[in-house]
Amino acid sequence: MDFSQPPGENYANPKTCFFHVLFKAAALAFYILSALFLDNFVIIFVVTVLLSALDFWVVKNVSGRILVGLRWWNEINDLGESVWRFECLDQESLARMNKKDSWLFWWTLYLSAVAWIVLGIFSLIRFEADYLLVVGVCLTLSIANIVGFTKCRKDAKKQIQQFASQTIASRFSSTIQSAFSVV
């Protein structure tokens, strides 16, 4: 993954990018500012976790599809086992994805988790177990999206490689068949 920002390219989906960043920033900002100005842990917990849950939902169900062409979910099968499911756009559509949108998606996905880790360290240092609980919930939601989209991206790359090798093999096979049918 290339972490340098693509030069000169505009965002193809500015509204989606805005909402992708909005709930992350809102959860972090509310947590930080409310810890400074409010003395009601219940309000801080409920609003921060709600904003973080909204971010989780938007990333998983909206911005992941639009900005990087990926979607994931996890379900329990009849045997009670956890099964990961992945969807991705076809190779041609993935190649047309906006690089700046993709860059923003991945950077904010990882940076928000790093921010929650830093806030968790501060909570540990100050011996605030209740605030550590808030950070733990928000970090868990962030990491769930990171794991889901990382697995989905790896699955998409594997599917593209399998498609490419099958296409090459079938073309090679048809070329050999046509060469021998001429003789």
Side-chain angles (χ1 to χ4, degrees):
M1 179 169 43
D2 183 19
F3 286 114
S4 61
Q5 186 174 8
E9 188 177 9
N10 287 328
Y11 293 103
N13 302 289
K15 288 179 185 174
T16 306
C17 290
F18 173 76
F19 284 103
H20 178 74
V21 174
L22 175 70
F23 291 116
K24 286 173 185 30
L28 287 163
F30 183 82
Y31 175 79
I32 292 167
L33 295 175
S34 65
L36 297 174
F37 300 114
L38 288 176
D39 197 26
N40 189 334
F41 173 74
V42 174
I43 291 174
I44 294 170
F45 180 89
V46 170
V47 173
T48 304
V49 169
L50 180 65
L51 289 169
S52 193
L54 287 170
D55 171 58
F56 174 82
W57 186 87
V58 166
V59 171
K60 185 178 169 304
N61 296 305
V62 180
S63 64
R65 281 187 192 185
I66 295 171
L67 301 180
V68 292
L70 301 173
R71 182 172 173 241
W72 67 271
W73 66 97
N74 188 292
E75 58 191 24
I76 306 299
N77 67 12
D78 294 335
L79 301 173
E81 300 166 331
S82 178
V83 179
W84 287 86
R85 304 282 185 204
F86 306 110
E87 283 182 4
C88 69
L89 294 176
D90 58 77
Q91 184 178 2
E92 185 179 313
S93 298
L94 282 173
R96 284 186 275 129
M97 296 301 293
N98 183 285
K99 300 281 187 262
K100 205 166 192 175
D101 287 355
S102 179
W103 180 87
L104 177 87
F105 177 87
W106 290 108
W107 266 98
T108 56
L109 199 64
Y110 290 114
L111 284 178
S112 64
V114 168
W116 286 117
I117 290 170
V118 169
L119 291 170
I121 291 169
F122 283 133
S123 293
L124 276 173
I125 291 170
R126 293 184 310 190
F127 298 109
E128 294 177 330
D130 48 355
Y131 287 93
L132 192 57
L133 177 64
V134 177
V135 171
V137 171
C138 296
L139 181 60
T140 300
L141 292 170
S142 290
I143 289 175
N145 264 332
I146 290 171
V147 169
F149 280 107
T150 301
K151 285 184 172 202
C152 190
R153 183 177 60 189
K154 287 179 182 177
D155 187 67
K157 285 180 181 180
K158 187 172 72 174
Q159 286 178 5
I160 289 169
Q161 288 171 345
Q162 286 175 345
F163 175 76
S165 63
Q166 288 173 351
T167 303
I168 291 169
S170 68
R171 293 223 173 138
F172 180 73
S173 173
S174 63
T175 303
I176 289 178
Q177 286 177 349
S178 64
F180 283 117
S181 65
V182 173
V183 177

